[in-house]
């Protein structure tokens, strides 16, 4: 019990709220179907990396074998990288083939190393049949290269990006994954990822895939 209070107290102090109020808010807005143990695991990971769940730097997705998988958005990965004391800049090199995006190389400079950490990601290995990949393949490939380079450079562990979590979430802005879709949820077309968070609706595909993930988890239990 003391561990739960401590983890919540750390996060509550950061946002200047009472631990009990924070718990109530997390359950009401972000993780209404989460167990106390799942909530604790999520809070511990968010605290460890200093990520804000309310600005969607980190959220949760149902794990394949139960529990939750902490998922970090690209904004969260950028925050992790920029806040690291040894981070000394990043460069990208994009390559096209026959006029189409082929690969992106991310090169992270680390203050304590004489050589930069370099990672190349290829479109053929990363692209998904989702709207962001169709409309902005170079941007998405750059995100993938950034994430993998940051992980290799600084040893970030225990967290995944949206696609690694297995959800294949197609909405440009991730939703809290423990909010079960209802019949009143509007069905809209997938939209480009050029809108603001206030303007981006959630795609039907994202809702269907989330519902399927929850159903699969319930069947295992």
């Amino acid at each position: 019990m003391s561990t739960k209070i401590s983890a919540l107290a750390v996060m509550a102090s950061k946002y200047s709220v009472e631990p009990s109020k924070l718990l109530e808010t997390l359950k009401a807005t972000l993780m209404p179907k989460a167990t106390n143990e799942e909530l604790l695991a999520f809070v511990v990971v968010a605290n460890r990396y200093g990520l804000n769940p309310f600005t969607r730097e980190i959220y949760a997705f149902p794990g394949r074998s139960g529990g939750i998988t902490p998922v970090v958005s690209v904004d969260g990965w950028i925050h992790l990288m920029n806040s690291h004391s040894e981070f000394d800049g990043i460069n990208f090199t994009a390559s096209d083939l026959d006029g189409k995006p082929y690969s992106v190389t991310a090169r992270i400079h680390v203050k304590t190393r004489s050589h930069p950490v370099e990672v190349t990601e290829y479109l053929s290995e990363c692209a998904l049949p989702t709207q962001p990949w169709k409309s902005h393949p170079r941007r998405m490939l750059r995100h993938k290269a950034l994430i993998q380079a940051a992980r290799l450079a600084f040893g970030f562990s225990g967290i995944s990006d949206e696609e690694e979590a297995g959800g294949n979430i197609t909405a440009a802005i991730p939703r809290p994954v423990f909010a079960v879709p209802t019949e009143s949820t509007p069905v809209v077309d997938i939209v480009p990822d050029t809108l603001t968070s206030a303007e981006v609706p959630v795609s039907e595909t994202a809702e269907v895939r989330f519902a399927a993930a929850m159903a699969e988890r319930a069947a295992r239990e």
Side-chain angles (χ1 to χ4, degrees), residues 125-204:
E125 297 178 350
C126 299
L128 292 172
T130 61
Q131 182 60 32
W133 279 101
K134 291 177 182 178
S135 60
H136 297 85
R138 291 176 178 83
R139 177 190 298 177
M140 296 298 291
L141 198 55
R142 185 179 72 238
H143 289 172
K144 295 295 288 188
L146 179 151
I147 289 169
Q148 296 305 323
R151 176 179 282 141
L152 187 59
F154 304 118
F156 299 131
S157 61
I159 51 178
S160 304
D161 68 15
E162 292 95 329
E163 291 156 8
E164 291 171 333
N168 293 334
I169 302 172
T170 60
I173 301 298
R175 283 189 61 172
V177 299
F178 283 101
V180 179
T182 65
E183 294 182 357
S184 61
T185 302
V187 176
V188 298
D189 292 331
I190 304 172
V191 297
D193 59 348
T194 55
L195 302 179
T196 66
S197 59
E199 297 171 321
V200 177
V202 177
S203 71
E204 179 184 15

Side-chain angles (χ1 to χ4, degrees), residues 12-211:
S13 175
K14 181 177 180 180
Y15 303 120
S16 301
V17 298
E18 293 294 326
S20 59
K21 185 63 177 178
L22 174 65
L23 178 62
E24 177 184 335
T25 302
L26 285 171
K27 285 206 166 192
T29 62
L30 299 183
M31 304 169 66
K33 298 297 181 180
T35 66
N36 287 339
E37 290 74 20
E38 290 169 338
L39 181 60
L40 171 61
F42 177 77
V43 169
V44 167
V45 174
N47 285 346
R48 175 184 177 186
Y49 289 113
L51 296 171
N52 188 337
F54 299 105
T55 58
R56 296 188 175 101
E57 290 180 342
I58 186 171
Y59 58 104
F61 196 81
R64 292 188 181 95
S65 57
I68 63 169
T69 298
V71 175
V72 177
S73 68
V74 67
D75 288 340
W77 287 99
I78 292 171
H79 172 84
L80 287 174
M81 183 178 64
N82 282 322
S83 62
H84 199 285
S85 61
E86 296 183 5
F87 177 65
D88 201 29
I90 184 170
N91 304 109
F92 296 95
T93 302
S95 297
D96 283 10
L97 182 64
D98 297 329
K100 297 180 180 179
Y102 176 72
S103 68
V104 171
T105 297
R107 189 175 296 104
I108 292 181
H109 300 271
V110 182
K111 294 177 182 178
T112 56
R113 301 181 188 180
S114 58
H115 300 285
V117 175
E118 185 174 299
V119 170
T120 300
E121 292 292 321
Y122 298 90
L123 187 72
S124 60
E125 297 178 350
C126 299
L128 292 172
T130 61
Q131 182 60 32
W133 279 101
K134 291 177 182 178
S135 60
H136 297 85
R138 291 176 178 83
R139 177 190 298 177
M140 296 298 291
L141 198 55
R142 185 179 72 238
H143 289 172
K144 295 295 288 188
L146 179 151
I147 289 169
Q148 296 305 323
R151 176 179 282 141
L152 187 59
F154 304 118
F156 299 131
S157 61
I159 51 178
S160 304
D161 68 15
E162 292 95 329
E163 291 156 8
E164 291 171 333
N168 293 334
I169 302 172
T170 60
I173 301 298
R175 283 189 61 172
V177 299
F178 283 101
V180 179
T182 65
E183 294 182 357
S184 61
T185 302
V187 176
V188 298
D189 292 331
I190 304 172
V191 297
D193 59 348
T194 55
L195 302 179
T196 66
S197 59
E199 297 171 321
V200 177
V202 177
S203 71
E204 179 184 15
T205 302
E207 295 287 11
V208 169
R209 285 179 174 169
F210 167 69

